Amino acid sequence: MTAIHQRPSRSLTPLVWPLIAGGLVVVALGVFGRAHTPTGFAVGVAGFSAALPMKVWLTTGAFVLAIAQVVSALSMWDRLGVAIPPAVHRWSGRIAFLLTIPVAFHCLYALGLQYDVPRVLVHSLLGCFFYGVFTTKMLALPKRGAPGWTLPVLGGVAFTVLVGLWLTSSFWFFTAIGFKV
């Protein structure tokens, strides 16, 4: 095959700054979560009996919307044979992210990064990592010349981390405590 028929190589260079920014977010959240003195209270729980059920249900909503993200992404990449409008992907992602904000704020401000219980340690680390991956993905979106695998991989990692967050929080809550609101 001659050079004329080869595909242009895609460089990792466009991903350097998004990866650095995402890494800084992970570290900053982890350091803040550890250095900050937890207050025990951060977010009002309007409509919920307490902060924990609020966090569980908002995380579950984000988890369900993350599944919609995967399905709509597969559609956008023509892997389903069904056309789902790209707006479904954008809006399900936006809403899922917004649902995580009060949860993350409460976790960081009220509880901090905890490491006494293995489940809670994993959950704390996944929470920091999620926002780092999300930052990287959002900053990589407009990058031209990035490898074609960039968005599917970053989206897949963000989904996987969110599933881990859901398993170490909401799933644990539902199985250990029950379906409280």
Side-chain angles (χ1 to χ4, degrees):
M1 182 181 278
T2 65
I4 296 172
H5 294 101
Q6 291 178 346
R7 291 181 142 183
S9 66
R10 295 215 166 178
S11 171
L12 294 178
T13 305
L15 299 180
V16 170
W17 289 114
L19 286 167
I20 289 172
L24 290 172
V25 166
V26 172
V27 171
L29 290 174
V31 167
F32 177 80
R34 244 354 262 150
H36 168 72
T37 303
T39 64
F41 180 78
V43 179
V45 293
F48 295 95
S49 60
L52 191 54
M54 175 208 57
K55 291 173 17 178
V56 162
W57 287 106
L58 291 178
T59 302
T60 299
F63 173 69
V64 168
L65 289 168
I67 293 169
Q69 282 276 284
V70 170
V71 171
S72 59
L74 288 169
S75 173
M76 287 171 32
W77 290 90
D78 201 23
R79 299 288 192 254
L80 294 180
V82 170
I84 297 174
V88 170
H89 186 77
R90 287 190 297 272
W91 280 101
S92 63
R94 289 171 182 155
I95 295 168
F97 179 76
L98 289 175
L99 289 176
T100 69
I101 298 296
V103 175
F105 180 74
H106 184 273
C107 288
L108 278 171
Y109 192 73
L111 305 173
L113 192 145
Q114 298 181 9
Y115 57 87
D116 299 341
V117 177
R119 176 190 63 80
V120 178
L121 170 63
V122 169
H123 182 76
S124 294
L125 295 174
L126 286 173
C128 296
F129 190 61
F130 172 77
Y131 284 98
V133 171
F134 181 82
T135 299
T136 303
K137 182 178 182 251
M138 292 300 103
L139 293 175
L141 273 172
K143 299 295 181 189
R144 303 286 179 233
W149 52 261
T150 301
L151 294 179
V153 166
L154 291 173
V157 171
F159 175 76
T160 302
V161 173
L162 189 60
V163 169
L165 282 167
W166 184 81
L167 288 171
T168 57
S169 61
S170 299
F171 180 75
W172 170 84
F173 183 87
F174 294 142
T175 56
I177 296 171
F179 288 87
K180 292 185 178 186
V181 180

Short mmCIF file of all heavy atoms in Angstrom, two decimals, residues 40-109:
data_model
loop_
_atom_site.label_atom_id
_atom_site.label_comp_id
_atom_site.label_asym_id
_atom_site.label_seq_id
_atom_site.Cartn_x
_atom_site.Cartn_y
_atom_site.Cartn_z
N GLY A 40 -20.96 17.54 57.94
CA GLY A 40 -22.08 16.69 58.31
C GLY A 40 -23.38 17.10 57.64
O GLY A 40 -24.34 16.36 57.62
N PHE A 41 -23.41 18.30 57.07
CA PHE A 41 -24.61 18.79 56.39
C PHE A 41 -24.18 19.69 55.24
O PHE A 41 -23.26 20.48 55.39
CB PHE A 41 -25.51 19.58 57.34
CG PHE A 41 -26.74 20.10 56.66
CD1 PHE A 41 -27.81 19.27 56.43
CD2 PHE A 41 -26.81 21.41 56.24
CE1 PHE A 41 -28.94 19.74 55.77
CE2 PHE A 41 -27.94 21.89 55.58
CZ PHE A 41 -29.01 21.05 55.35
N ALA A 42 -24.85 19.56 54.09
CA ALA A 42 -24.47 20.40 52.96
C ALA A 42 -25.65 20.81 52.10
O ALA A 42 -25.68 21.92 51.60
CB ALA A 42 -23.43 19.69 52.08
N VAL A 43 -26.59 19.93 51.89
CA VAL A 43 -27.65 20.18 50.91
C VAL A 43 -28.99 19.94 51.56
O VAL A 43 -29.17 18.96 52.29
CB VAL A 43 -27.50 19.22 49.70
CG1 VAL A 43 -28.59 19.45 48.68
CG2 VAL A 43 -26.13 19.39 49.05
N GLY A 44 -29.93 20.84 51.29
CA GLY A 44 -31.29 20.62 51.74
C GLY A 44 -31.88 19.39 51.08
O GLY A 44 -31.52 19.05 49.96
N VAL A 45 -32.77 18.73 51.75
CA VAL A 45 -33.29 17.46 51.25
C VAL A 45 -34.78 17.56 50.93
O VAL A 45 -35.55 16.65 51.21
CB VAL A 45 -33.00 16.32 52.25
CG1 VAL A 45 -31.53 16.04 52.33
CG2 VAL A 45 -33.57 16.64 53.63
N ALA A 46 -35.20 18.68 50.36
CA ALA A 46 -36.62 18.91 50.06
C ALA A 46 -37.21 17.72 49.31
O ALA A 46 -36.68 17.28 48.29
CB ALA A 46 -36.77 20.18 49.23
N GLY A 47 -38.28 17.19 49.85
CA GLY A 47 -38.96 16.06 49.21
C GLY A 47 -38.41 14.71 49.63
O GLY A 47 -38.97 13.68 49.26
N PHE A 48 -37.33 14.70 50.37
CA PHE A 48 -36.72 13.44 50.81
C PHE A 48 -36.68 13.42 52.33
O PHE A 48 -36.60 14.46 52.98
CB PHE A 48 -35.30 13.29 50.25
CG PHE A 48 -35.27 13.16 48.77
CD1 PHE A 48 -35.07 14.27 47.95
CD2 PHE A 48 -35.43 11.92 48.16
CE1 PHE A 48 -35.04 14.15 46.58
CE2 PHE A 48 -35.40 11.80 46.77
CZ PHE A 48 -35.20 12.91 45.98
N SER A 49 -36.67 12.24 52.90
CA SER A 49 -36.64 12.09 54.36
C SER A 49 -35.29 12.46 54.95
O SER A 49 -35.20 12.84 56.11
CB SER A 49 -37.03 10.67 54.75
OG SER A 49 -36.12 9.74 54.19
N ALA A 50 -34.23 12.33 54.16
CA ALA A 50 -32.88 12.64 54.64
C ALA A 50 -31.94 12.79 53.44
O ALA A 50 -32.34 12.54 52.30
CB ALA A 50 -32.38 11.54 55.58
N ALA A 51 -30.71 13.16 53.72
CA ALA A 51 -29.73 13.36 52.64
C ALA A 51 -29.40 12.06 51.92
O ALA A 51 -29.25 12.05 50.69
CB ALA A 51 -28.46 13.98 53.20
N LEU A 52 -29.27 10.96 52.64
CA LEU A 52 -28.89 9.70 52.00
C LEU A 52 -29.93 9.23 50.98
O LEU A 52 -29.55 8.92 49.84
CB LEU A 52 -28.62 8.62 53.06
CG LEU A 52 -27.96 7.34 52.56
CD1 LEU A 52 -26.66 7.63 51.81
CD2 LEU A 52 -27.68 6.41 53.73
N PRO A 53 -31.23 9.21 51.29
CA PRO A 53 -32.19 8.84 50.25
C PRO A 53 -32.16 9.81 49.06
O PRO A 53 -32.31 9.39 47.91
CB PRO A 53 -33.54 8.89 50.97
CG PRO A 53 -33.22 8.66 52.39
CD PRO A 53 -31.87 9.31 52.61
N MET A 54 -31.95 11.11 49.33
CA MET A 54 -31.85 12.07 48.23
C MET A 54 -30.71 11.69 47.29
O MET A 54 -30.87 11.63 46.07
CB MET A 54 -31.63 13.49 48.75
CG MET A 54 -31.41 14.50 47.64
SD MET A 54 -30.40 15.93 48.06
CE MET A 54 -28.86 15.26 48.61
N LYS A 55 -29.54 11.41 47.87
CA LYS A 55 -28.38 11.05 47.06
C LYS A 55 -28.61 9.75 46.31
O LYS A 55 -28.24 9.62 45.14
CB LYS A 55 -27.13 10.94 47.96
CG LYS A 55 -26.70 12.28 48.50
CD LYS A 55 -25.59 12.26 49.52
CE LYS A 55 -24.77 11.04 49.62
NZ LYS A 55 -23.70 11.09 50.59
N VAL A 56 -29.25 8.79 46.97
CA VAL A 56 -29.53 7.49 46.34
C VAL A 56 -30.43 7.66 45.12
O VAL A 56 -30.15 7.10 44.04
CB VAL A 56 -30.16 6.53 47.38
CG1 VAL A 56 -30.84 5.36 46.71
CG2 VAL A 56 -29.11 6.08 48.37
N TRP A 57 -31.50 8.43 45.26
CA TRP A 57 -32.45 8.57 44.16
C TRP A 57 -31.91 9.46 43.04
O TRP A 57 -32.14 9.18 41.85
CB TRP A 57 -33.80 9.07 44.67
CG TRP A 57 -34.50 7.96 45.39
CD1 TRP A 57 -34.67 7.83 46.73
CD2 TRP A 57 -35.07 6.78 44.80
NE1 TRP A 57 -35.31 6.64 47.02
CE2 TRP A 57 -35.58 5.98 45.85
CE3 TRP A 57 -35.20 6.32 43.50
CZ2 TRP A 57 -36.20 4.75 45.63
CZ3 TRP A 57 -35.83 5.10 43.28
CH2 TRP A 57 -36.32 4.34 44.33
N LEU A 58 -31.15 10.50 43.37
CA LEU A 58 -30.54 11.32 42.31
C LEU A 58 -29.49 10.50 41.55
O LEU A 58 -29.40 10.59 40.32
CB LEU A 58 -29.93 12.59 42.88
CG LEU A 58 -30.91 13.63 43.41
CD1 LEU A 58 -30.16 14.83 43.99
CD2 LEU A 58 -31.88 14.08 42.33
N THR A 59 -28.72 9.70 42.27
CA THR A 59 -27.73 8.84 41.62
C THR A 59 -28.42 7.79 40.75
O THR A 59 -27.95 7.48 39.66
CB THR A 59 -26.82 8.17 42.67
OG1 THR A 59 -26.19 9.19 43.44
CG2 THR A 59 -25.77 7.31 42.02
N THR A 60 -29.52 7.25 41.21
CA THR A 60 -30.28 6.29 40.42
C THR A 60 -30.81 6.95 39.15
O THR A 60 -30.76 6.35 38.06
CB THR A 60 -31.42 5.67 41.25
OG1 THR A 60 -30.83 4.98 42.37
CG2 THR A 60 -32.25 4.70 40.44
N GLY A 61 -31.29 8.18 39.26
CA GLY A 61 -31.72 8.91 38.06
C GLY A 61 -30.58 9.10 37.08
O GLY A 61 -30.74 8.90 35.87
N ALA A 62 -29.42 9.48 37.59
CA ALA A 62 -28.25 9.64 36.73
C ALA A 62 -27.85 8.32 36.09
O ALA A 62 -27.48 8.27 34.91
CB ALA A 62 -27.08 10.22 37.52
N PHE A 63 -27.96 7.24 36.84
CA PHE A 63 -27.64 5.90 36.34
C PHE A 63 -28.58 5.52 35.19
O PHE A 63 -28.13 5.04 34.14
CB PHE A 63 -27.74 4.90 37.49
CG PHE A 63 -27.61 3.47 37.08
CD1 PHE A 63 -26.41 2.96 36.62
CD2 PHE A 63 -28.69 2.60 37.19
CE1 PHE A 63 -26.29 1.61 36.27
CE2 PHE A 63 -28.59 1.27 36.83
CZ PHE A 63 -27.38 0.77 36.37
N VAL A 64 -29.88 5.75 35.36
CA VAL A 64 -30.85 5.44 34.30
C VAL A 64 -30.56 6.29 33.06
O VAL A 64 -30.58 5.79 31.92
CB VAL A 64 -32.30 5.65 34.80
CG1 VAL A 64 -33.30 5.62 33.66
CG2 VAL A 64 -32.64 4.61 35.86
N LEU A 65 -30.26 7.57 33.27
CA LEU A 65 -29.94 8.43 32.13
C LEU A 65 -28.61 8.04 31.49
O LEU A 65 -28.43 8.23 30.28
CB LEU A 65 -29.93 9.89 32.56
CG LEU A 65 -31.31 10.46 32.87
CD1 LEU A 65 -31.20 11.81 33.56
CD2 LEU A 65 -32.16 10.56 31.61
N ALA A 66 -27.70 7.48 32.26
CA ALA A 66 -26.44 6.99 31.69
C ALA A 66 -26.69 5.81 30.76
O ALA A 66 -26.01 5.67 29.73
CB ALA A 66 -25.46 6.61 32.80
N ILE A 67 -27.66 4.99 31.10
CA ILE A 67 -28.04 3.89 30.19
C ILE A 67 -28.60 4.49 28.90
O ILE A 67 -28.27 4.02 27.80
CB ILE A 67 -29.05 2.94 30.87
CG1 ILE A 67 -28.36 2.21 32.03
CG2 ILE A 67 -29.64 1.95 29.87
CD1 ILE A 67 -29.30 1.44 32.93
N ALA A 68 -29.42 5.54 29.01
CA ALA A 68 -29.91 6.23 27.82
C ALA A 68 -28.75 6.81 27.02
O ALA A 68 -28.79 6.83 25.78
CB ALA A 68 -30.89 7.34 28.22
N GLN A 69 -27.71 7.27 27.70
CA GLN A 69 -26.52 7.78 27.03
C GLN A 69 -25.86 6.69 26.18
O GLN A 69 -25.48 6.93 25.04
CB GLN A 69 -25.49 8.26 28.07
CG GLN A 69 -25.80 9.60 28.65
CD GLN A 69 -25.29 10.69 27.76
OE1 GLN A 69 -24.09 10.95 27.71
NE2 GLN A 69 -26.17 11.30 27.02
N VAL A 70 -25.71 5.51 26.74
CA VAL A 70 -25.08 4.41 26.01
C VAL A 70 -25.92 4.03 24.80
O VAL A 70 -25.39 3.89 23.68
CB VAL A 70 -24.86 3.19 26.93
CG1 VAL A 70 -24.43 1.97 26.13
CG2 VAL A 70 -23.84 3.51 28.01
N VAL A 71 -27.22 3.89 24.99
CA VAL A 71 -28.10 3.50 23.88
C VAL A 71 -28.09 4.57 22.79
O VAL A 71 -27.96 4.26 21.60
CB VAL A 71 -29.54 3.23 24.39
CG1 VAL A 71 -30.51 3.04 23.23
CG2 VAL A 71 -29.54 2.02 25.31
N SER A 72 -28.19 5.84 23.17
CA SER A 72 -28.20 6.90 22.16
C SER A 72 -26.84 7.04 21.49
O SER A 72 -26.76 7.34 20.30
CB SER A 72 -28.66 8.23 22.76
OG SER A 72 -27.80 8.63 23.82
N ALA A 73 -25.76 6.79 22.21
CA ALA A 73 -24.42 6.83 21.60
C ALA A 73 -24.28 5.70 20.58
O ALA A 73 -23.75 5.91 19.48
CB ALA A 73 -23.33 6.72 22.66
N LEU A 74 -24.77 4.52 20.93
CA LEU A 74 -24.72 3.41 19.98
C LEU A 74 -25.51 3.74 18.72
O LEU A 74 -25.11 3.41 17.60
CB LEU A 74 -25.26 2.13 20.63
CG LEU A 74 -24.35 1.49 21.68
CD1 LEU A 74 -25.10 0.40 22.43
CD2 LEU A 74 -23.08 0.96 21.04
N SER A 75 -26.62 4.42 18.91
CA SER A 75 -27.42 4.85 17.76
C SER A 75 -26.67 5.87 16.91
O SER A 75 -26.65 5.79 15.69
CB SER A 75 -28.75 5.43 18.23
OG SER A 75 -29.46 5.99 17.13
N MET A 76 -26.03 6.83 17.59
CA MET A 76 -25.28 7.87 16.86
C MET A 76 -24.12 7.26 16.07
O MET A 76 -23.76 7.75 15.00
CB MET A 76 -24.74 8.92 17.83
CG MET A 76 -25.82 9.82 18.36
SD MET A 76 -25.33 10.93 19.71
CE MET A 76 -23.65 11.32 19.43
N TRP A 77 -23.53 6.19 16.58
CA TRP A 77 -22.42 5.50 15.90
C TRP A 77 -22.95 4.41 14.98
O TRP A 77 -22.18 3.59 14.50
CB TRP A 77 -21.44 4.93 16.93
CG TRP A 77 -20.69 6.01 17.64
CD1 TRP A 77 -21.04 6.65 18.80
CD2 TRP A 77 -19.46 6.61 17.23
NE1 TRP A 77 -20.12 7.60 19.13
CE2 TRP A 77 -19.13 7.59 18.19
CE3 TRP A 77 -18.60 6.41 16.15
CZ2 TRP A 77 -17.99 8.38 18.10
CZ3 TRP A 77 -17.46 7.18 16.07
CH2 TRP A 77 -17.17 8.16 17.03
N ASP A 78 -24.26 4.41 14.74
CA ASP A 78 -24.92 3.49 13.82
C ASP A 78 -24.69 2.02 14.18
O ASP A 78 -24.41 1.19 13.33
CB ASP A 78 -24.50 3.78 12.38
CG ASP A 78 -25.49 3.24 11.37
OD1 ASP A 78 -26.67 3.05 11.73
OD2 ASP A 78 -25.09 2.99 10.21
N ARG A 79 -24.82 1.71 15.46
CA ARG A 79 -24.62 0.34 15.93
C ARG A 79 -25.93 -0.36 16.29
O ARG A 79 -25.92 -1.53 16.65
CB ARG A 79 -23.70 0.31 17.16
CG ARG A 79 -22.32 0.86 16.92
CD ARG A 79 -21.51 -0.11 16.07
NE ARG A 79 -20.11 0.25 16.04
CZ ARG A 79 -19.50 0.79 14.99
NH1 ARG A 79 -20.17 1.06 13.90
NH2 ARG A 79 -18.22 1.06 15.04
N LEU A 80 -27.05 0.37 16.21
CA LEU A 80 -28.33 -0.22 16.60
C LEU A 80 -29.27 -0.46 15.44
O LEU A 80 -30.20 -1.25 15.56
CB LEU A 80 -29.05 0.70 17.60
CG LEU A 80 -28.42 0.88 18.97
CD1 LEU A 80 -29.27 1.81 19.81
CD2 LEU A 80 -28.25 -0.45 19.65
N GLY A 81 -29.08 0.24 14.35
CA GLY A 81 -30.02 0.14 13.24
C GLY A 81 -31.27 0.97 13.48
O GLY A 81 -32.24 0.88 12.74
N VAL A 82 -31.26 1.74 14.56
CA VAL A 82 -32.39 2.61 14.91
C VAL A 82 -31.82 4.00 15.10
O VAL A 82 -30.77 4.18 15.72
CB VAL A 82 -33.05 2.13 16.23
CG1 VAL A 82 -34.03 3.14 16.74
CG2 VAL A 82 -33.70 0.78 16.03
N ALA A 83 -32.51 4.98 14.56
CA ALA A 83 -32.03 6.36 14.68
C ALA A 83 -32.67 7.03 15.90
O ALA A 83 -33.87 7.18 15.97
CB ALA A 83 -32.36 7.14 13.42
N ILE A 84 -31.82 7.38 16.84
CA ILE A 84 -32.26 8.16 17.99
C ILE A 84 -31.67 9.55 17.79
O ILE A 84 -30.47 9.68 17.53
CB ILE A 84 -31.77 7.54 19.31
CG1 ILE A 84 -32.39 6.15 19.48
CG2 ILE A 84 -32.09 8.43 20.49
CD1 ILE A 84 -31.86 5.38 20.67
N PRO A 85 -32.47 10.59 17.89
CA PRO A 85 -31.94 11.94 17.66
C PRO A 85 -30.76 12.26 18.58
O PRO A 85 -30.81 11.92 19.78
CB PRO A 85 -33.14 12.85 17.97
CG PRO A 85 -34.34 11.98 17.86
CD PRO A 85 -33.89 10.60 18.22
N PRO A 86 -29.72 12.88 18.05
CA PRO A 86 -28.57 13.26 18.89
C PRO A 86 -28.96 14.12 20.09
O PRO A 86 -28.28 14.09 21.11
CB PRO A 86 -27.66 14.04 17.93
CG PRO A 86 -28.03 13.54 16.57
CD PRO A 86 -29.50 13.22 16.65
N ALA A 87 -30.06 14.85 19.98
CA ALA A 87 -30.51 15.68 21.11
C ALA A 87 -30.83 14.81 22.33
O ALA A 87 -30.65 15.24 23.47
CB ALA A 87 -31.73 16.51 20.71
N VAL A 88 -31.28 13.59 22.12
CA VAL A 88 -31.55 12.67 23.24
C VAL A 88 -30.26 12.40 24.00
O VAL A 88 -30.23 12.40 25.23
CB VAL A 88 -32.19 11.36 22.75
CG1 VAL A 88 -32.26 10.32 23.86
CG2 VAL A 88 -33.57 11.62 22.16
N HIS A 89 -29.18 12.20 23.25
CA HIS A 89 -27.88 11.95 23.88
C HIS A 89 -27.41 13.19 24.65
O HIS A 89 -27.00 13.08 25.81
CB HIS A 89 -26.84 11.57 22.81
CG HIS A 89 -25.53 11.17 23.38
ND1 HIS A 89 -25.31 9.94 23.96
CD2 HIS A 89 -24.36 11.85 23.49
CE1 HIS A 89 -24.08 9.87 24.39
NE2 HIS A 89 -23.47 11.02 24.13
N ARG A 90 -27.48 14.33 24.02
CA ARG A 90 -27.03 15.56 24.68
C ARG A 90 -27.83 15.86 25.94
O ARG A 90 -27.27 16.16 26.99
CB ARG A 90 -27.10 16.74 23.70
CG ARG A 90 -26.01 16.71 22.64
CD ARG A 90 -25.96 18.01 21.85
NE ARG A 90 -27.18 18.28 21.11
CZ ARG A 90 -27.44 17.84 19.89
NH1 ARG A 90 -26.55 17.14 19.24
NH2 ARG A 90 -28.57 18.14 19.30
N TRP A 91 -29.16 15.78 25.85
CA TRP A 91 -29.99 16.16 27.00
C TRP A 91 -29.98 15.12 28.11
O TRP A 91 -30.00 15.47 29.29
CB TRP A 91 -31.41 16.49 26.54
CG TRP A 91 -31.43 17.88 26.00
CD1 TRP A 91 -31.43 18.26 24.69
CD2 TRP A 91 -31.38 19.09 26.76
NE1 TRP A 91 -31.40 19.62 24.59
CE2 TRP A 91 -31.36 20.16 25.86
CE3 TRP A 91 -31.35 19.36 28.12
CZ2 TRP A 91 -31.31 21.48 26.26
CZ3 TRP A 91 -31.31 20.69 28.53
CH2 TRP A 91 -31.29 21.72 27.59
N SER A 92 -29.91 13.85 27.76
CA SER A 92 -29.82 12.84 28.82
C SER A 92 -28.50 12.99 29.56
O SER A 92 -28.44 12.82 30.79
CB SER A 92 -29.99 11.42 28.26
OG SER A 92 -28.95 11.10 27.35
N GLY A 93 -27.44 13.34 28.85
CA GLY A 93 -26.15 13.58 29.50
C GLY A 93 -26.17 14.81 30.38
O GLY A 93 -25.65 14.80 31.50
N ARG A 94 -26.75 15.88 29.88
CA ARG A 94 -26.83 17.12 30.67
C ARG A 94 -27.61 16.91 31.96
O ARG A 94 -27.19 17.33 33.05
CB ARG A 94 -27.49 18.23 29.85
CG ARG A 94 -26.63 18.75 28.73
CD ARG A 94 -27.40 19.68 27.82
NE ARG A 94 -26.54 20.14 26.73
CZ ARG A 94 -26.98 20.54 25.57
NH1 ARG A 94 -28.30 20.57 25.33
NH2 ARG A 94 -26.15 20.92 24.64
N ILE A 95 -28.76 16.26 31.83
CA ILE A 95 -29.61 16.04 33.01
C ILE A 95 -28.93 15.08 33.99
O ILE A 95 -28.94 15.31 35.20
CB ILE A 95 -31.01 15.55 32.60
CG1 ILE A 95 -31.73 16.65 31.80
CG2 ILE A 95 -31.83 15.15 33.83
CD1 ILE A 95 -32.99 16.19 31.10
N ALA A 96 -28.31 14.03 33.46
CA ALA A 96 -27.59 13.08 34.33
C ALA A 96 -26.50 13.81 35.11
O ALA A 96 -26.35 13.62 36.32
CB ALA A 96 -27.00 11.94 33.52
N PHE A 97 -25.75 14.65 34.42
CA PHE A 97 -24.68 15.39 35.08
C PHE A 97 -25.25 16.31 36.15
O PHE A 97 -24.75 16.37 37.28
CB PHE A 97 -23.87 16.19 34.07
CG PHE A 97 -22.76 16.99 34.70
CD1 PHE A 97 -21.60 16.38 35.11
CD2 PHE A 97 -22.91 18.35 34.91
CE1 PHE A 97 -20.58 17.09 35.72
CE2 PHE A 97 -21.90 19.09 35.51
CZ PHE A 97 -20.74 18.45 35.92
N LEU A 98 -26.33 17.02 35.83
CA LEU A 98 -26.95 17.92 36.80
C LEU A 98 -27.45 17.17 38.03
O LEU A 98 -27.37 17.68 39.15
CB LEU A 98 -28.10 18.71 36.16
CG LEU A 98 -27.67 19.78 35.16
CD1 LEU A 98 -28.88 20.41 34.47
CD2 LEU A 98 -26.82 20.85 35.84
N LEU A 99 -27.94 15.95 37.85
CA LEU A 99 -28.39 15.16 38.99
C LEU A 99 -27.23 14.78 39.91
O LEU A 99 -27.44 14.59 41.11
CB LEU A 99 -29.10 13.89 38.52
CG LEU A 99 -30.47 14.07 37.86
CD1 LEU A 99 -31.01 12.73 37.37
CD2 LEU A 99 -31.45 14.73 38.82
N THR A 100 -26.03 14.69 39.35
CA THR A 100 -24.89 14.31 40.19
C THR A 100 -24.34 15.46 41.01
O THR A 100 -23.65 15.23 42.01
CB THR A 100 -23.73 13.72 39.35
OG1 THR A 100 -23.13 14.75 38.55
CG2 THR A 100 -24.19 12.56 38.49
N ILE A 101 -24.63 16.69 40.63
CA ILE A 101 -24.03 17.85 41.30
C ILE A 101 -24.40 17.94 42.79
O ILE A 101 -23.51 18.03 43.64
CB ILE A 101 -24.36 19.17 40.56
CG1 ILE A 101 -23.78 19.15 39.14
CG2 ILE A 101 -23.88 20.38 41.35
CD1 ILE A 101 -22.28 19.10 39.08
N PRO A 102 -25.70 17.91 43.16
CA PRO A 102 -25.99 17.97 44.60
C PRO A 102 -25.44 16.77 45.36
O PRO A 102 -25.04 16.89 46.52
CB PRO A 102 -27.52 18.03 44.68
CG PRO A 102 -28.03 17.79 43.33
CD PRO A 102 -26.91 17.91 42.36
N VAL A 103 -25.36 15.63 44.71
CA VAL A 103 -24.82 14.43 45.35
C VAL A 103 -23.33 14.64 45.63
O VAL A 103 -22.86 14.43 46.75
CB VAL A 103 -25.03 13.19 44.46
CG1 VAL A 103 -24.37 11.97 45.07
CG2 VAL A 103 -26.52 12.95 44.23
N ALA A 104 -22.59 15.06 44.62
CA ALA A 104 -21.15 15.27 44.79
C ALA A 104 -20.87 16.38 45.80
O ALA A 104 -19.97 16.26 46.63
CB ALA A 104 -20.52 15.62 43.45
N PHE A 105 -21.66 17.44 45.73
CA PHE A 105 -21.47 18.54 46.67
C PHE A 105 -21.66 18.05 48.10
O PHE A 105 -20.85 18.34 48.98
CB PHE A 105 -22.43 19.69 46.34
CG PHE A 105 -22.28 20.86 47.27
CD1 PHE A 105 -21.19 21.71 47.15
CD2 PHE A 105 -23.21 21.09 48.27
CE1 PHE A 105 -21.04 22.78 48.01
CE2 PHE A 105 -23.07 22.16 49.14
CZ PHE A 105 -21.97 23.01 49.00
N HIS A 106 -22.74 17.30 48.32
CA HIS A 106 -22.99 16.78 49.65
C HIS A 106 -21.87 15.84 50.09
O HIS A 106 -21.38 15.92 51.21
CB HIS A 106 -24.33 16.06 49.72
CG HIS A 106 -24.67 15.61 51.11
ND1 HIS A 106 -24.24 14.41 51.61
CD2 HIS A 106 -25.35 16.22 52.11
CE1 HIS A 106 -24.65 14.29 52.85
NE2 HIS A 106 -25.33 15.36 53.18
N CYS A 107 -21.47 14.94 49.20
CA CYS A 107 -20.42 13.99 49.55
C CYS A 107 -19.13 14.70 49.93
O CYS A 107 -18.52 14.40 50.95
CB CYS A 107 -20.16 13.02 48.40
SG CYS A 107 -21.48 11.83 48.14
N LEU A 108 -18.71 15.65 49.12
CA LEU A 108 -17.44 16.34 49.38
C LEU A 108 -17.53 17.27 50.59
O LEU A 108 -16.66 17.26 51.45
CB LEU A 108 -17.01 17.15 48.16
CG LEU A 108 -16.30 16.36 47.08
CD1 LEU A 108 -16.12 17.21 45.85
CD2 LEU A 108 -14.97 15.83 47.57
N TYR A 109 -18.57 18.08 50.64
CA TYR A 109 -18.67 19.10 51.68
C TYR A 109 -19.06 18.52 53.03
O TYR A 109 -18.48 18.86 54.04
CB TYR A 109 -19.66 20.18 51.24
CG TYR A 109 -19.63 21.41 52.09
CD1 TYR A 109 -18.57 22.31 52.00
CD2 TYR A 109 -20.66 21.68 52.98
CE1 TYR A 109 -18.54 23.45 52.79
CE2 TYR A 109 -20.64 22.81 53.77
CZ TYR A 109 -19.58 23.70 53.67
OH TYR A 109 -19.55 24.82 54.47
#
